[in-house]
Amino acid sequence: MMDFGFKLSPSSAVNLDTVDRARYDRLVQLVPDARTCIDCGSCSATCTAAPWSGMSVRKVLLGLQRGRDDEVDAMLSKCMLCGKCTMVCPRGINTRQLILTLCRLDRKGEVVR
Amino acid sequence: MRERFASHFDPFVIPFLVGMAFVLGYCLIAMIRVILQLPKEDRRRFLVSLITPKQIWINVRDIFLNCLIHVKLWQRNKMLGFMHSSIAFGWFMIILLGHLEVILFVPERIHLFYYPIFFNYFVAETEQTIQGSMLMFLMDFFLLMILSGIAIAIIKRFASRIVGMRRTTRLSLLDRVGLYSLWAIFPLRLLAESFTAHISGGSFLTIPANWIFRQFLGNDLYALPTWWAYSIALGVFMCVLPFTRYMHIPAEMLLIPMRNAGIRIRHPRKGFASLEVYSCPACGVCIDACPMSVLKVNCKDTTVYLNRQLRRGNERRIAEISDKCLLCGKCTAVCPVGVQGPELREAQRARRKYALSPSYAGINVRPMASAVAGGAGGASGGVLYFAGCMTQLTPSIRRATASLLDKAGVRWQMMDPDGGLCCGRPLMMAGRTEQARELIAKNLEIIRASGCDTLLLSCPICYKVFKEDYPLSDIRVVHHSVFFQELIASGQLKVRREEGHKLVWHDPCELGRGCGVYEEPRAALAAAGELVEAGKHHAESICCGGSLGSLSLGFEQRKAMTRNALDNLTVADPAEIVTGCPLCLATFVRAADRPVRDIAEILDTRS
């Protein structure tokens, strides 16, 4: 990385050159609607699991694109599939399908069988 | 009466015998396999039920009413009922009477399988005796009955609308072979019996036919080939039977006693599940009933096609069909056999492998538990109201419920004032039963801490899972529509009736078909206004399209279903649409042309 004379805290630095987006790319292939997310945060506001893992579909999608796989998995592991995010999504994204599909992918973006 | 042939045999019976031996052997092996595939305790339960006198009676009655008379089809559609029962019952009676003839006239031949079937060929009977003429008459009568059924079947195949079906199943190749051989069997039998009627006797159908044929045929040379054709048609039908939809005939006879014994689907493919799949007659009643069928693309995702793909083992299609379904349960409600489409699909979903499985063990519910322990309903009795996830999105229901409880002076408190855990039902619908169990354990902790004696739910999705899967035998689990109806009936809640204000009740899938609650909400609404019915209601109500059951249906596709459900609800032009499910409410509100409200809101404004 270039030296700008100041540093980001290494824990929150996102280096897009080293991020493996295989999982996100595969997800978008399987659930193309994932691309239409406008980051409005309706899902974050309504999530039943949010108090326990900070779960939010918006953050999951961002995390995937930024290579934050551990955070994504931690969030997903508390999702209860209650479907509130689907109900409030202004883009009509089938978030439950998105989450279930994502749970089926391993870190390399392969569907487990 | 005399026997025509000293050898008691003719080669033309061979196709029939081959078919018979094949189908009996196949069914026997299949039956043993299904029974062996059951889990141990289920198998025991089933076998014990087979020797319990009361169960035997119930089984015999159900098999007679369902397999032969097709009562459920009669209730749905008289034409289809007549078609099926005339073929099934008529055929059964012909076989029965054939055996009776053998027992009465040539009892020493009863060990010959083919004698009852081809009786008129081997035995020349006279219609002069009372016995003979009576039996002959009955044989012709039932043959006529079957032929009338076959005629309707042929009409149905080419113009299903005439018999009241918009759509019917597209048959597979083998199904067609079975169908055409089935159609051929009975006209051929009529021909064969007619050709020999002047020798072996006949009745009102066969004797006139025989007379007509003899006018221009003049000899008996046509008789034997026709008997051959009859036997071949029977043989072909029985040889293809295990690979066609006609497998439902033997399968249903095993399904009914098993269902009566309380066996449920435990494995997605084996045991009871496979029996249900094979019991599907592919009649296609579920195609018209399915709420997804408003869009033609979804017709191939109905239960009848799921069963077909399960038989074929087409994994890609099985996954697709299983994921799409709304799990509304209407196909089961209308199915003449009662194939559990939603349960079959849930079992398929449970089979799926995941790289990531959620775990809720780490969730600390102690703060929530201690909050309810010190509440108004704490320590001894009282009502615990669980609003559930969906009701958090429709706060008007929560407010109305709270206000009604206060007006009626009920001692109550909320289980999830600041949002709680999910009930677990959505996970179960997605086939993740293990994970759902963890949530159930967490919720139980809170419920037990409250010391309540009644658990009140305003969401049918929660209601079903709390009622069926939570070990809460000492706590009453009740849906708010039922609870308020009781409060009204006991006079604790006073509701003003507004004359002429038409209200229609939408039966939510989980509440109606899922839990059998139909009448209480209607009674409560009748106290508040003029109750009108939708076009299809009670067990046949149409899903709003918002169901959590479907994993893959998109927003646009659901919209068409919602509009269709709304059209059905507004046939009597109600002023308001009333439902008891927050999810139905939220779905309808987006598309409705008139107010949609929860039953609690209606009652609250009138009390």
Side-chain angles (χ1 to χ4, degrees):
Chain A
M1 260 197 191
M2 201 178 285
D3 183 14
F4 291 103
F6 58 89
K7 274 186 190 157
L8 283 169
S9 141
S11 62
S12 57
V14 175
N15 184 350
L16 289 177
D17 293 333
T18 59
V19 165
D20 180 11
R21 298 209 333 165
R23 201 147 63 130
Y24 178 75
D25 292 340
R26 185 90 178 108
L27 176 73
V28 165
Q29 218 175 42
L30 295 170
V31 188
D33 278 0
R35 264 215 195 96
T36 64
C37 175
I38 51 171
D39 286 348
C40 70
S42 299
C43 46
S44 320
T46 52
C47 185
T48 310
W52 290 283
S53 67
M55 168 71 185
S56 136
V57 178
R58 175 187 67 89
K59 278 201 276 179
V60 164
L61 286 173
L62 280 178
L64 281 176
Q65 295 173 74
R66 292 173 181 173
R68 298 296 185 128
D69 284 315
D70 293 332
E71 282 173 34
V72 167
D73 288 357
M75 283 192 274
L76 286 177
S77 75
K78 293 285 181 287
C79 169
M80 303 172 194
L81 291 178
C82 71
K84 276 199 283 189
C85 43
T86 312
M87 275 175 76
V88 297
C89 181
R91 304 291 286 164
I93 301 173
N94 190 344
T95 48
R96 289 178 82 227
Q97 187 191 21
L98 189 150
I99 292 164
L100 279 169
T101 311
L102 197 51
C103 286
R104 295 184 67 193
L105 302 179
D106 62 15
R107 291 256 171 129
K108 291 200 179 65
E110 298 298 323
V111 177
V112 289
R113 294 193 191 283
Chain B
M1 192 280 301
R2 72 189 160 78
E3 284 188 83
R4 293 177 60 203
F5 308 97
S7 64
H8 318 303
F9 179 78
D10 192 284
F12 82 77
V13 304
I14 291 172
F16 163 76
L17 280 180
V18 170
M20 195 71 204
F22 175 72
V23 79
L24 281 182
Y26 191 99
C27 290
L28 191 72
I29 294 169
M31 186 177 83
I32 294 170
R33 266 192 63 182
V34 165
I35 294 174
L36 286 181
Q37 282 171 349
L38 290 178
K40 219 173 191 173
E41 66 270 32
D42 277 4
R43 186 162 58 229
R44 236 192 69 115
R45 200 149 138 211
F46 171 60
L47 294 177
V48 167
S49 86
L50 285 187
I51 48 168
T52 315
K54 199 182 153 201
Q55 277 287 331
I56 295 175
W57 157 242
I58 294 173
N59 289 342
V60 170
R61 186 198 61 194
D62 284 359
I63 289 177
F64 182 78
L65 288 180
N66 288 318
C67 300
L68 293 179
I69 311 290
H70 289 87
V71 187
K72 282 191 199 149
L73 264 179
W74 274 101
Q75 287 163 352
R76 270 201 73 67
N77 182 331
K78 300 269 179 303
M79 203 71 146
L80 284 182
F82 176 76
M83 174 188 137
H84 287 85
S85 60
S86 64
I87 297 175
F89 185 64
W91 200 355
F92 172 74
M93 285 312 286
I94 280 192
I95 297 170
L96 193 77
L97 289 170
H99 282 82
L100 200 66
E101 281 180 325
V102 174
I103 292 167
L104 280 176
F105 299 122
V106 280
E108 66 278 13
R109 304 279 171 260
I110 192 70
H111 63 281
L112 296 173
F113 265 133
Y114 52 87
Y115 242 64
I117 311 298
F118 306 108
F119 186 79
N120 278 2
Y121 183 81
F122 289 106
V123 182
E125 196 185 317
T126 168
E127 63 267 21
Q128 305 305 330
T129 64
I130 261 282
Q131 257 178 353
S133 64
M134 194 67 200
L135 280 169
M136 293 270 191
F137 170 80
L138 285 176
M139 281 302 226
D140 271 19
F141 173 76
F142 285 115
L143 188 59
L144 183 66
M145 189 169 155
I146 300 176
L147 287 171
S148 63
I150 298 274
I152 300 175
I154 295 173
I155 293 171
K156 177 189 157 222
R157 200 33 54 196
F158 295 108
S160 61
R161 269 173 198 271
I162 295 176
V163 296
M165 281 176 85
R166 256 185 85 202
R167 300 190 184 94
T168 183
T169 332
R170 271 191 76 88
L171 296 184
S172 65
L173 183 68
L174 270 176
D175 276 343
R176 277 169 205 276
V177 175
L179 180 74
Y180 299 143
S181 56
L182 181 65
W183 285 357
I185 289 171
F186 300 100
L188 283 172
R189 183 181 168 111
L190 176 68
L191 275 183
E193 291 201 329
S194 300
F195 283 136
T196 44
H198 64 292
I199 308 166
S200 304
S203 190
F204 67 94
L205 212 57
T206 36
I207 288 182
N210 178 274
W211 182 81
I212 293 168
F213 289 133
R214 260 191 306 155
Q215 296 309 304
F216 57 90
L217 293 177
N219 58 36
D220 291 339
L221 292 178
Y222 298 90
L224 192 58
T226 322
W227 281 101
W228 263 100
Y230 172 47
S231 171
I232 290 172
L234 274 171
V236 168
F237 178 69
M238 286 191 284
C239 280
V240 296
L241 182 136
F243 316 107
T244 63
R245 58 187 188 145
Y246 299 104
M247 190 62 186
H248 79 270
I249 301 166
E252 202 188 344
M253 288 194 272
L254 183 61
L255 178 81
I256 288 171
M258 247 187 216
R259 188 165 47 207
N260 286 345
I263 311 291
R264 291 168 72 178
I265 296 174
R266 298 289 189 95
H267 187 283
R269 305 286 163 87
K270 288 181 182 167
F272 194 64
S274 80
L275 188 59
E276 287 216 330
V277 167
Y278 281 93
S279 297
C280 170
C283 60
V285 170
C286 51
I287 303 177
D288 279 346
C290 183
M292 296 195 303
S293 294
V294 288
L295 294 173
K296 214 176 163 197
V297 284
N298 295 329
C299 285
K300 285 255 173 181
D301 298 304
T302 44
T303 305
V304 44
Y305 291 106
L306 171 71
N307 291 330
R308 179 179 294 177
Q309 300 302 349
L310 278 169
R311 287 178 74 163
R312 288 184 185 165
N314 183 342
E315 294 298 337
R316 188 185 60 83
R317 284 288 293 143
I318 292 172
E320 227 174 77
I321 298 176
S322 305
D323 282 3
K324 209 180 222 181
C325 172
L326 296 156
L327 303 186
C328 75
K330 191 166 172 186
C331 50
T332 312
V334 301
C335 179
V337 182
V339 174
Q340 297 168 295
E343 283 78 359
L344 265 176
R345 286 176 170 95
E346 278 178 40
Q348 307 312 318
R349 292 176 185 181
R351 216 167 156 256
R352 197 151 302 158
K353 289 209 172 53
Y354 288 97
L356 191 76
S357 281
S359 159
Y360 312 105
I363 293 177
N364 179 18
V365 290
R366 219 158 295 147
M368 293 160 93
S370 50
V372 289
S380 57
V383 171
L384 187 66
Y385 171 42
F386 180 66
C389 310
M390 288 300 162
T391 314
Q392 308 283 358
L393 286 186
T394 47
S396 55
I397 298 179
R398 212 170 87 175
R399 271 199 303 273
T401 306
S403 143
L404 281 171
L405 287 171
D406 287 338
K407 280 178 194 165
V410 176
R411 201 154 55 86
W412 72 283
Q413 64 172 331
M414 253 192 110
M415 177 167 154
D416 52 347
D418 308 310
L421 295 177
C422 173
C423 58
R425 177 88 180 125
L427 279 166
M428 288 197 163
M429 283 174 155
R432 314 202 76 173
T433 321
E434 286 307 308
Q435 283 78 25
R437 298 260 161 242
E438 285 184 23
L439 278 183
I440 289 177
K442 293 285 170 193
N443 276 321
L444 266 178
E445 212 175 298
I446 307 173
I447 297 168
R448 289 290 172 205
S450 78
C452 66
D453 61 9
T454 306
L455 181 64
L456 181 68
L457 288 323
S458 51
C459 172
I461 307 169
C462 306
Y463 175 55
K464 188 174 160 75
V465 72
F466 276 109
K467 207 172 128 221
E468 289 176 1
D469 298 288
Y470 279 64
L472 289 172
S473 50
D474 52 332
I475 293 176
R476 182 171 182 230
V477 179
V478 60
H479 185 251
H480 71 333
S481 64
V482 179
F483 194 70
F484 292 141
Q485 154 61 10
E486 285 169 359
L487 290 179
I488 293 169
S490 69
Q492 268 177 279
L493 200 61
K494 298 266 182 299
V495 179
R496 276 175 291 110
R497 191 180 141 89
E498 192 179 323
E499 293 300 332
H501 190 69
K502 284 202 239 173
L503 301 169
V504 68
W505 171 251
H506 165 71
D507 289 287
C509 310
E510 301 276 290
L511 189 66
R513 285 183 289 264
C515 298
V517 176
Y518 296 111
E519 298 312 327
E520 292 90 342
R522 286 186 166 77
L525 280 188
E530 186 189 335
L531 182 71
V532 292
E533 284 296 357
K536 296 235 161 67
H537 49 86
H538 285 78
E540 295 201 14
S541 87
I542 301 175
C543 173
C544 66
S547 169
L548 287 176
S550 174
L551 303 179
S552 62
L553 269 182
F555 188 65
E556 286 303 317
Q557 292 209 5
R558 287 172 187 259
K559 255 199 218 157
M561 291 161 210
T562 309
R563 273 196 295 269
N564 177 48
L566 280 170
D567 289 344
N568 171 61
L569 281 170
T570 49
V571 284
D573 195 27
E576 281 180 287
I577 297 167
V578 189
T579 183
C581 172
L583 184 51
C584 298
L585 181 78
T587 312
F588 280 147
V589 160
R590 292 178 184 178
D593 58 346
R594 60 199 79 201
V596 185
R597 291 207 285 168
D598 189 83
I599 186 165
E601 294 176 70
I602 296 281
L603 295 177
D604 191 37
T605 51
R606 297 266 192 290
S607 60

